[in-house]
Amino acid sequence: MKVKAIIFDLDGTLLNTLEDLAASTNYALKTNGFAERSIDEVRSFVGNGLGLLAHRALPQGKENPLYEKVLADLRSHYAEHSLVKTKPYDGIIKMLDFLKAKNITTAIVSNKPDAQVKSLAEIFFSKYMDNECCIGECAGVKRKPAPDTVLKVMKHLNLKKEECIYVGDSEVDIETAKNAGLKCISVSWGFKGREFLIEHKADTIIDKPEELLQLLEF
């Protein structure tokens, strides 16, 4: 397929953020007297932002009287500890180098807080993408799977739907791409895995970053 831009999810797609998210989740739970969660449990909770992560990790979720406190502790801890173990997945930088050499624009749309998305993008990917095209959860814009953030990036880039594809690791990303009218490529190296993606009707699944390049026309 021939495209001008690729819009990526962040967590579980470009960056392996799971251990830092789990550490902050367990800090918030333990601080408020709740049992900690395993790394696999946290893996199943992520993908819809920190609010739903706290809801899923906490007994009774949003109905718990301490939900807002747990969420606040999670947000503050993660804001200060988001770079302890977080790093790009193997092959990501090489893939981005190739896309840059081929003049394909790259961008990020995530349900992570916007400030953290921009901070992580600046730290790891400033060589490859405009920070203004790295968007997270922010006031007044519906989060994924609503298409709003994807459409915002496309408008900034002045590109049509047929000129872009969306790449992510979860069912949220599959639905986001569908809602935005974009082709979706799902990655199996992230938080959900190949079997989960098949169950959620992923159209195209790749197992390594270099496989993305094989699907593009240059």
Side-chain angles (χ1 to χ4, degrees), residues 190-202:
F191 296 163
K192 302 298 184 178
R194 174 174 278 274
E195 290 186 7
F196 180 93
L197 294 169
I198 291 172
E199 290 173 2
H200 286 81
K201 298 179 172 57

Side-chain angles (χ1 to χ4, degrees), residues 29-217:
L29 291 171
K30 186 175 180 179
T31 297
N32 290 280
F34 298 102
E36 297 183 17
R37 295 289 197 163
S38 70
I39 194 80
D40 285 334
E41 285 179 312
V42 175
R43 186 194 306 275
S44 71
F45 297 156
V46 298
N48 296 85
L50 295 183
L52 278 177
L53 172 55
H55 165 68
R56 291 164 177 164
L58 187 64
Q60 298 178 283
K62 292 181 180 179
E63 300 301 316
N64 193 302
L66 290 178
Y67 168 75
E68 293 295 341
K69 175 65 164 51
V70 169
L71 176 57
D73 289 341
L74 169 57
R75 288 188 185 280
S76 62
H77 187 274
Y78 187 67
E80 297 180 5
H81 299 85
S82 62
L83 291 171
V84 178
K85 294 186 177 180
T86 288
K87 63 180 180 179
Y89 287 98
D90 290 344
I92 291 296
I93 296 302
K94 184 177 181 180
M95 176 195 70
L96 291 174
D97 279 330
F98 189 91
L99 293 174
K100 182 180 180 181
K102 294 296 183 179
N103 294 314
I104 294 180
T105 299
T106 53
I108 293 171
V109 167
S110 170
N111 277 339
K112 185 186 290 292
D114 188 65
Q116 290 170 10
V117 171
K118 286 178 166 53
S119 176
L120 290 169
E122 180 68 23
I123 291 166
F124 292 106
F125 307 122
S126 61
K127 176 181 176 182
Y128 307 104
M129 54 190 79
D130 181 353
N131 209 251
E132 290 302 310
C133 291
C134 300
I135 297 177
E137 179 185 17
C138 51
V141 182
K142 292 181 181 179
R143 66 165 62 202
K144 299 186 300 182
D148 299 44
T149 44
V150 172
L151 297 177
K152 184 176 180 179
V153 167
M154 291 170 56
K155 182 177 180 180
H156 183 82
L157 296 174
N158 194 29
L159 293 177
K160 301 175 183 177
K161 295 178 181 179
E162 57 268 24
E163 296 174 318
C164 306
I165 61 174
Y166 189 81
V167 178
D169 72 305
S170 74
E171 78 282 10
V172 175
D173 298 312
I174 294 170
E175 192 66 22
T176 299
K178 179 181 178 181
N179 291 338
L182 300 186
K183 167 74 175 180
C184 182
I185 296 177
S186 299
V187 308
S188 67
W189 61 77
F191 296 163
K192 302 298 184 178
R194 174 174 278 274
E195 290 186 7
F196 180 93
L197 294 169
I198 291 172
E199 290 173 2
H200 286 81
K201 298 179 172 57
D203 291 326
T204 304
I205 303 174
I206 59 175
D207 301 312
K208 297 179 181 179
E210 56 263 36
E211 292 177 12
L212 174 63
L213 307 177
Q214 298 168 10
L215 298 175
L216 305 176
E217 296 178 10

